[in-house]
Amino acid sequence: MNRLQNRQIVSGYLFALGATAIWSGNYIIARGLSDSIPPISLAFWRWVVAVVVFLPFALKPLIAEWDILKENILYLSVTSLLGITLFNTLLYFAGHTTSAINLSLISLTFPIFIVILSRFVSSESITINKGIGIILVAAGVVLLITKGTPSRLLDMSFAIGDFWMLVASITFAIYSILLKRKPKELSISAFQLSTFILGLIFLLPFFVLEHLSVPPVEFGIKTVSSILYVGVFASLLAFGSWNKAIAMVGPSKAGMIYYTLPLFSGLWAYLFLKEDIGMIHVYSVLLIVSGVLTANYESKKV
C-alpha cells in the first residue's frame, strides 16, 4: 500500500469521524424538539435550509452534469428516498415517543446492518477482526449506556419509537451501501444537491398533510437555531463528509467509525449540559476506540 493510498484511507476515516461528531447533536435535537415541532416539519425545514445553503455552490456542477443525472434518475431517487426522505424523518418520529438513551442504543445497530448486508450485496467477508471489533464496541456501548450495570438493559422499556429507530438504522445502512455504487462520472456536489432536492420533493406531500392536521409551528430562537444546525451541519456538512468517507474507505469501515457516536454525545453533554464524566466513560471510550481500531485493522501483506 503506497503513501497516497494510506493518505486516502486516513482521510476517509477522518471524514467519517467528522460526520459522526456532527450527527451526534442531531439525536439531542430530535429529542429536545419533540414538543416544539412535528417530525415531518423538522425534516422538511432541515432539507429546505440544506438546499438553499448548498445551491450557490453546487448549481453549476448540477447543470453541467444534468445528462448524467437523468441517466441515473432511478438510482438517485431510491438513494434520496432512503437517506434523505426516510432516515431522518423516522429518527424525528422516534424522538417523539422514546427516550434519548434508547435512540442512542438502537442507532448503533446501523453499522452491524452494514456489515451483514455487505456480506450479501457485495460478498464482503466478515473477518475475525470485524467480529472481535464489533464485540468490543458493543461492550463499550453497553457499559456506557448502563453505567456499568448491564442488568439495567432488562429494565428498559421499549415504545413504538424504538421500532421507528430500528427501521431508520436499516434504512441508513442500505443508503450507505448504495453510496458505494454512485456513478464515478457524477461529482459529489451534483450528487449531493440532487439527492437533497429529490428527497425534499418526496417529503413535500407528507409535510402538507402534517401542516393541515397539526397546529402551526412557533419559530422561536430555539427552534430556528436547531433547524439551522440540522440543515447546515447535520445535513450539508455531515452528509458531504459521509459520502466522501464511503467513497474512500467503503461502507463497512465507515460504519464502524459510527460507533464513536456515544463518545461525542457524552462530550456535548459535558460541554453544554454540564454532565460529569467518570471512569465508566473512560472505560467505555477505551473499549469503543479499541473495537473500532481492531475492526478496521488490516495486516500488511508481504
Side-chain angles (χ1 to χ4, degrees), residues 17-32:
L17 198 63
T20 303
I22 296 172
W23 276 329
S24 64
N26 194 29
Y27 290 89
I28 297 174
I29 290 174
R31 185 59 181 162

Side-chain angles (χ1 to χ4, degrees), residues 150-172:
S151 60
R152 288 188 180 185
L153 288 175
L154 300 176
D155 300 326
M156 291 177 64
S157 59
F158 290 87
I160 187 62
D162 301 317
F163 171 75
W164 291 129
M165 192 63 240
L166 185 64
V167 175
S169 296
I170 297 173
T171 299
F172 196 63

